[in-house]
Amino acid sequence: MKRKQFPLALWIFVGLLAGAAAGAALMCLPNGVDIAKSYIKPFGTIFLNLLKFVVVPIVLFSIASGVISMGDISRVGSVGGKTVVYYMCTTAFAVILALILASAAKAMNLFTPLDTAGLEYAPPEGQSLMDTIVAIFPSNAVTPLASATMLQVIVISLLLGFGVLLAGDKGRVAGDVISSFNEVFLKIMDLIIRLSPLGVACLICPVVAENGPQVLGKLAAVLLVAYVGYIVHAAVVYSSSVAALGGVSPLAFFRGMAPAMMMAFSSASSVGTLPFTLECSERLGARREVASFVLPLGATINMDGTAIYQGVCAVFIASCYGMDLTLGNMATIVLTATLASVGTAGVPGAGMVMLAMVLQSVNIPVEGIALVAGIDRVFDMGRTTINITGDAACAVIVSKMEDRRLAKAEKK
Ligand code: ASP
């Protein structure tokens, strides 16, 4: 049976508007920014902490119980394969789109070149591709859960599910315990989500109060190009893929996703938004066992919005240094930004750190990141919204494909 339309959606929207209006008002007061930072931001942090607290048990139990309910290890492989292909293709498309839009904006002289003299930015130590792969596998069953290292939590959850399946009758009790905990944590998640109108207001208010004046500065054109990229990507790629492959109309998809998108916009954290993304995609018809695997994976490795941001910033920063990117440079950016999105954690500001890797790959000075760092949060709100929307589109599509596969298998 279909549940009622998400009744909280409207309230979250009201919270978003009220928080933004309060932020704009505080911006105009002499001590307003301090008030927003000291007295309002902590409540936003409490809300985000609660969401982060519930994320690890939700991922652990829902993936494990998803695997158990699939009843067949090979089905996990088939879901995983489709998911990774969708994620990689859409991310590569996102970078290409960003490079085209930013190059056009540059050709039209929309970007104001900024002075690059004396810029400083120390990129964190890079990790090689092999290190990244090794880091997916936990050497300990507890630490990844405590530190919320998502890819390792996913591996633990999958192994737990496989273990229960392979143990057969003897694993039944463990399976029941996992599914019972899964239900319990879903209920806790529901409780936390009920706080979201207030949480969203407290998250957005300090962001508006702190960033308001800077956004109107010289970076407005870069910001605009990134947001045009975000919107075009969602309108073209997600609309067409959910309609063609997922059997959901684009309007219904975006309406159903609105609560999660607003949460992503105000929190700038894909991982923090995960409880919302799960809830919304299930309401859009995604199967729970598929969504509980595809979404946590996507919150960690699928970052289309981040890829768009990186493409746009690479072109902008290069232009500030008087560099023109060749077609070869652009191809390198597509590759590195797609890989960088795999290594980007779903937390605020992570995409900016990975931008260093993209710039280095084509010899653009990484200090250029300092040019866009001041308003990173404003880029981040949009890119996180796109990141989680892409994850949900994949969950809906892969679920539909699984439906078809199972229907075929039943007919045989
Ligand atoms: N904040 C983004 C996310 O959570 C990652 C990024 O900084 O690009 O999806």
Side-chain angles (χ1 to χ4, degrees):
M1 204 178 68
K2 270 213 152 187
R3 279 189 273 176
K4 265 197 300 174
Q5 189 64 39
F6 203 98
L8 270 180
L10 203 64
W11 285 112
I12 299 179
F13 187 57
V14 171
L16 193 67
L17 290 185
L26 284 170
M27 195 171 75
C28 308
L29 294 181
N31 280 340
V33 178
D34 287 339
I35 296 177
K37 277 211 290 209
S38 316
Y39 298 105
I40 298 180
K41 200 172 179 177
F43 290 100
T45 309
I46 292 176
F47 176 57
L48 212 51
N49 283 352
L50 287 174
L51 286 167
K52 286 191 201 150
F53 137 76
V54 84
V55 151
V56 169
I58 287 276
V59 171
L60 179 70
F61 292 120
S62 55
I63 291 187
S65 70
V67 171
I68 297 165
S69 68
M70 283 191 210
D72 175 3
I73 295 180
S74 69
R75 258 190 78 198
V76 179
S78 125
V79 169
K82 287 175 193 134
T83 304
V84 171
V85 168
Y86 183 86
Y87 283 165
M88 291 299 137
C89 293
T90 51
T91 307
F93 181 89
V95 199
I96 294 170
L97 172 69
L99 291 173
I100 293 173
L101 288 176
S103 304
K106 187 182 158 220
M108 289 191 285
N109 289 326
L110 291 184
F111 292 154
T112 318
L114 299 181
D115 187 11
T116 53
L119 288 181
E120 276 178 36
Y121 179 83
E125 250 186 49
Q127 246 195 350
S128 74
L129 184 62
M130 265 349 256
D131 290 341
T132 311
I133 293 173
V134 170
I136 297 176
F137 299 92
S139 62
N140 169 319
V142 183
T143 317
L145 305 182
S147 60
T149 312
M150 276 308 161
L151 288 181
Q152 296 191 355
V153 175
I154 292 173
V155 172
I156 294 177
S157 323
L158 287 174
L159 291 177
L160 198 59
F162 293 164
V164 169
L165 284 183
L166 294 173
D169 266 354
K170 288 195 176 153
R172 191 153 295 150
V173 176
D176 288 345
V177 170
I178 288 172
S179 112
S180 166
F181 269 116
N182 187 30
E183 290 305 322
V184 170
F185 276 102
L186 286 172
K187 285 285 173 269
I188 297 177
M189 180 180 91
D190 274 350
L191 284 182
I192 300 171
I193 285 182
R194 280 195 211 166
L195 299 173
S196 47
L198 201 65
V200 162
C202 295
L203 283 169
I204 198 82
C205 172
V207 174
V208 172
E210 280 179 62
N211 289 289
Q214 284 153 305
V215 174
L216 303 173
K218 293 187 177 136
L219 288 168
V222 190
L223 209 52
L224 185 74
V225 174
Y227 271 80
V228 169
Y230 299 153
I231 294 169
V232 171
H233 186 70
V236 174
V237 177
Y238 303 150
S239 294
S240 59
S241 60
V242 291
L245 303 171
V248 176
S249 88
L251 209 64
F253 175 73
F254 289 111
R255 200 185 298 143
M257 280 303 293
M261 290 170 83
M262 286 187 277
M263 178 60 204
F265 188 75
S266 39
S267 69
S269 168
S270 295
V271 172
T273 308
L274 201 45
F276 285 78
T277 324
L278 272 165
E279 177 101 12
C280 292
S281 30
E282 270 186 45
R283 279 166 199 273
L284 283 166
R287 300 171 78 99
R288 179 175 287 180
E289 74 272 18
V290 171
S292 63
F293 170 68
V294 169
L295 296 177
L297 189 66
T300 329
I301 70 162
N302 183 45
M303 308 261 168
D304 296 357
T306 303
I308 292 173
Y309 151 83
Q310 290 172 340
V312 170
C313 286
V315 173
F316 170 68
I317 294 172
S319 79
C320 291
Y321 280 99
M323 294 168 68
D324 278 319
L325 296 177
T326 62
L327 224 51
N329 288 151
M330 297 210 183
T332 311
I333 292 178
V334 173
L335 195 70
T336 44
T338 306
L339 289 178
S341 99
V342 178
T344 308
V347 296
M352 190 178 77
V353 174
M354 296 307 280
L355 177 59
M357 178 176 135
V358 176
L359 296 184
Q360 271 164 345
S361 71
V362 285
N363 296 324
I364 302 171
V366 284
E367 292 76 26
I369 294 181
L371 296 172
V372 290
I375 56 160
D376 185 59
R377 180 65 182 219
V378 189
F379 282 110
D380 203 355
M381 297 192 299
R383 61 185 195 240
T384 309
T385 309
I386 296 306
N387 291 347
I388 60 109
T389 310
D391 302 341
C394 183
V396 169
I397 289 167
V398 174
S399 294
K400 189 72 181 184
M401 289 177 164
E402 279 297 289
D403 285 349
R404 281 194 216 112
R405 208 171 74 102
L406 290 177
K408 246 193 221 160
E410 260 168 35
K411 262 193 212 156
K412 275 184 198 164

